[in-house]
Amino acid sequence: MGQKAERGLRPWQVELLKLQAHLEAEKLRMIVLFEGRDAAGKGGCIRRVTRFMNEKHYRVVALGRPTEEQRSQWYFQRYVAQFPAGGEMVLFDRSWYNRAMVERVFGFCSAKEYRDFLLGVNGFEKDLVRQGTILVKLYFSVTKEVQAGRFERRRTDPLRQWKLSEIDLQAQDRWDDFTIHKYEMLKRTETRPAPWLIVRSNDKERARLNTMKVILNAVDYKGRDRVLDFDPDPEIVVPGIKEIALMEAERRQSGRFTG
């Protein structure tokens, strides 16, 4: 991301500090989920969102594989342990929705565990929101071609090679599996209390700016700069319910999902 583009984010990064101050003053809890395929731009977006934020009042959580002990616990337990206190924002770089996509596609969970997750997650989130937690669910969406290009860059760039994992290497081959499970996840977990927002992230710069706008719009914080444009670009941010309809139309037309 160029220096000009980075500077272009500054006004919204200032607003994020105001949002943080409001959360602290009102002792509000906020959770932002960053979901999506590998190389969709989640990590880079999180870094821009948090770049100037007060480190005392936010955390980025990126959990690894569960331990044997954690596998014996209630599935949501290790995520709940990371939830915010009053005045805090927690950003999950992948969340409990691992079970709906990565774990299911790669066989890291059983069919029953997958079904149990889909049966329980809506009630879990409804209760979370009912008790005052602000929940923002973001799904970062890239095309297969863009993902392939980003993987190639990781493979050839010494500064990015650490990002390339075994799962990354299989992601292109499993593209259709991921797409089917993306549809099932959205279809089953798009709810009024906890809706999904799809972030088209082929263009990283536009995805980052629009993600900031979505987060800022989730809270009516004090001191908002009324001169700034807070409306997300409809080409970049798509409501989950619309994405479901687009995917269903695509399937009717071509007989399969493609993205």
Side-chain angles (χ1 to χ4, degrees):
M1 194 168 186
Q3 288 186 351
K4 184 178 179 181
E6 292 280 6
R7 286 195 301 271
L9 297 177
R10 292 294 177 91
W12 288 272
Q13 288 167 328
V14 170
E15 294 298 303
L16 287 164
L17 286 168
K18 296 178 189 177
L19 169 59
Q20 266 197 300
H22 180 80
L23 294 177
E24 184 185 359
E26 301 296 326
K27 296 293 180 246
L28 297 172
R29 303 180 301 275
M30 186 170 186
I31 294 173
V32 186
L33 308 186
F34 289 75
E35 289 294 335
R37 299 176 194 266
D38 291 308
K42 301 180 296 297
C45 190
I46 291 171
R47 285 192 292 276
R48 270 59 177 199
V49 167
T50 60
R51 184 171 178 186
F52 298 105
M53 283 169 58
N54 184 342
E55 293 182 2
K56 293 179 181 178
H57 299 292
Y58 84 84
R59 284 180 289 119
V60 176
V61 175
L63 300 181
R65 286 190 184 184
T67 63
E68 281 305 308
E69 181 183 12
Q70 288 169 334
R71 283 190 62 83
S72 73
Q73 295 170 345
W74 175 50
Y75 174 70
F76 293 102
Q77 190 165 334
R78 71 189 191 120
Y79 294 101
V80 172
Q82 301 291 337
F83 276 13
E88 190 177 27
M89 182 192 299
V90 172
L91 304 95
F92 279 92
D93 186 352
R94 295 198 187 280
S95 68
W96 46 91
Y97 282 102
N98 262 343
R99 177 135 295 177
M101 292 192 68
V102 173
E103 289 191 16
R104 188 65 194 127
V105 170
F106 287 102
F108 298 153
C109 70
S110 67
K112 182 182 185 304
E113 287 172 328
Y114 173 70
R115 287 195 304 271
D116 286 347
F117 170 80
L118 290 175
L119 285 170
V121 66
N122 291 344
F124 171 73
E125 292 177 352
K126 183 179 180 180
D127 207 41
L128 192 61
V129 173
R130 181 181 63 79
Q131 295 188 54
T133 298
I134 300 154
L135 177 62
V136 178
K137 293 167 29 179
L138 303 174
Y139 183 92
F140 284 70
S141 176
V142 290
T143 60
K144 189 175 184 180
E145 294 72 26
V146 167
Q147 186 192 57
R150 290 178 184 173
F151 283 158
E152 181 60 20
R153 191 174 181 192
R154 288 181 181 184
R155 192 183 66 79
T156 58
D157 184 344
L159 295 176
R160 288 179 168 82
Q161 282 173 353
W162 63 271
K163 290 184 175 184
L164 198 61
S165 68
E166 279 299 315
I167 285 180
D168 288 345
L169 296 173
Q170 298 179 54
Q172 287 271 294
D173 293 337
R174 302 287 187 99
W175 181 269
D176 289 345
D177 286 341
F178 271 106
T179 303
I180 290 165
H181 284 87
K182 169 193 170 182
Y183 171 75
E184 287 298 327
M185 180 185 78
L186 294 179
K187 183 77 172 173
R188 298 283 295 274
T189 64
E190 166 67 27
T191 65
R192 190 181 295 272
W196 282 101
L197 286 170
I198 313 303
V199 180
R200 304 271 187 247
S201 54
N202 279 357
D203 184 326
K204 289 183 179 181
E205 293 179 11
R206 294 173 75 191
R208 290 164 184 171
L209 172 59
N210 282 277
T211 296
M212 289 180 191
K213 291 181 179 183
V214 167
I215 292 170
L216 292 166
N217 287 340
V219 181
D220 186 18
Y221 61 91
K222 294 174 183 175
R224 185 182 290 258
D225 184 346
R226 301 298 172 184
V227 175
L228 279 181
D229 176 12
F230 288 89
D231 292 333
D233 183 340
E235 291 185 2
I236 303 298
V237 178
V238 179
I241 196 164
K242 183 176 180 182
E243 182 80 342
I244 293 165
L246 289 170
M247 293 185 78
E248 288 174 345
E250 179 184 66
R251 184 175 59 181
R252 285 194 300 273
Q253 192 170 29
S254 66
R256 58 188 286 269
F257 297 127
T258 59

